[in-house]
Amino acid sequence: MFDCSLLICNCQPPTANCQLLKVPIVVAQIRPTVQSLPDGDYRYRDSFVLDRPYREIQFRKQERYITGSDFDKRTGKSYCFRGIALHNNVINITTAIEISPPNSQKTEWKFERGNSINFDRLYPLQVGPGLELYKCLTAFLPKLQSPSVR
């Protein structure tokens, strides 16, 4: 165990009879905001405990844009989202929910406005392979326009 304190002399100028004070050192853990993260893939969760329900968000940051999946193990529900990073939030969110009928070869999506996501109470995790993230990235790919034939 380390003693995280600083000894300070309690008299000016310091003399032989000077009383030493122990002052605790406060170390603040600085966590980057979502906005300040470099481009890449990330995973956040609201709990480190894996054997209980949790919320997990996987996302890809490209410049100021965030595209990802939000999965809640408590309810079993998930959705895809795309928005803009602002401080430790994702704002101006559009959600995408998969609505493909059973036995369909093509994935169809329902898009609508969503609520902003705050990362203040979420903890970063190691990024792992994420099928949900890949699926969400494809949901927001721009539709390719076929050239008109005349």
Side-chain angles (χ1 to χ4, degrees), residues 60 62 66-68 80-82 94 96 106-107 109 111 133-145:
R60 177 169 291 167
Q62 294 175 304
I66 305 289
T67 305
C80 298
F81 66 90
R82 181 162 172 84
T94 299
K106 185 179 177 190
T107 302
W109 299 93
F111 295 94
L133 177 57
Y134 175 75
K135 183 171 75 170
C136 291
L137 291 170
T138 60
F140 288 99
L141 283 175
K143 302 238 184 245
L144 297 176
Q145 298 198 6

Side-chain angles (χ1 to χ4, degrees), residues 42-47 49-59 67-81 95-98 117 119 122-123 125 129-133 135-136:
Y42 297 91
R43 192 169 87 173
Y44 280 71
R45 191 177 284 169
D46 67 355
S47 172
V49 182
L50 296 177
D51 64 344
R52 70 176 188 153
Y54 55 84
R55 176 184 183 196
E56 183 172 293
I57 297 177
Q58 295 180 35
F59 65 90
T67 305
S69 70
D70 189 343
F71 172 70
D72 191 335
K73 191 174 180 185
R74 290 175 276 266
T75 63
K77 294 184 179 180
S78 67
Y79 66 91
C80 298
F81 66 90
T95 63
I97 299 172
E98 192 174 0
I117 299 172
F119 282 79
L122 299 174
Y123 305 98
L125 299 173
L131 182 58
E132 287 296 313
L133 177 57
K135 183 171 75 170
C136 291

Side-chain angles (χ1 to χ4, degrees), residues 30-39 42 44 59 61 63 66 85-90 119-120 122 124:
I30 299 173
R31 225 171 70 173
T33 65
V34 173
Q35 183 177 354
S36 68
L37 292 171
D39 288 359
Y42 297 91
Y44 280 71
F59 65 90
K61 181 173 187 243
E63 297 176 3
I66 305 289
L86 179 65
H87 305 295
N88 214 26
N89 298 291
V90 180
F119 282 79
D120 286 342
L122 299 174

